[in-house]
Amino acid sequence: MAQIERANMSDYLPGDPTPRDKIAQMIRVDHAGEYGATRIYAGQLAVLGRGAKGPTLQHMLAQEQAHLARFKELIASRRVRPTALLPLWHLAGYALGAATALLGERAAMACTVAVEEAIDAHYMAQSQRLGDDEAELRDVIETFRAEELEHRDTALANDAEKAPGYRLMSAAIKAGCRVAIAVSEKV
Ligand SMILES: [Fe+2]
Ligand SMILES: [Fe+2]
């Protein structure tokens, strides 16, 4: 952090995001994403919670709740404004989870693969942008990224790719994730 605050401010035009703004954007969007993830699994559990995949979904939800809790702490300790779109992600995440679950267990798993692949790319890009002065944040992101990849692997092991319309659904969900990420950094 100290290193970032020492950055030469004359390099920035008025209105340009400073390094500090960029860290705030990262925490804002990651908090939003983990929030959305808990809502997706909540929606899936509402439909499939009593079925054979219930414990698997519950386990992934518990990890997302831990991710969200960590980003809530960072929002507070770094004084980052959360995204104004949390009410939207509250509804959209749940709707995505419930809708895919209604299509069946495999579609629910296909949703997880798509979301986690989008998040993996997002977290990897963030991690690469963070230097040793942000080692703590980078470690959080890398730890969570490893767990998101576990979720993807779990979903693949649960026949995600056998869902009807897998490719189309996957592409649509990934595109949605990328839009959600882009707006949640700023708004
Ligand atoms: Fe997560
Ligand atoms: Fe996840």
Side-chain angles (χ1 to χ4, degrees), residues 30 33-35 37-38 41 60 63-68 71 116 119 123 144-145 147-148 151:
D30 294 353
E34 297 297 353
Y35 181 78
T38 63
Y41 287 114
M60 294 195 283
Q63 285 182 314
E64 301 301 357
Q65 285 168 336
H67 297 175
L68 175 60
F71 275 108
E116 302 296 13
I119 299 306
Y123 275 162
F144 292 179
R145 185 166 85 88
E147 291 181 355
E148 311 301 7
H151 296 169

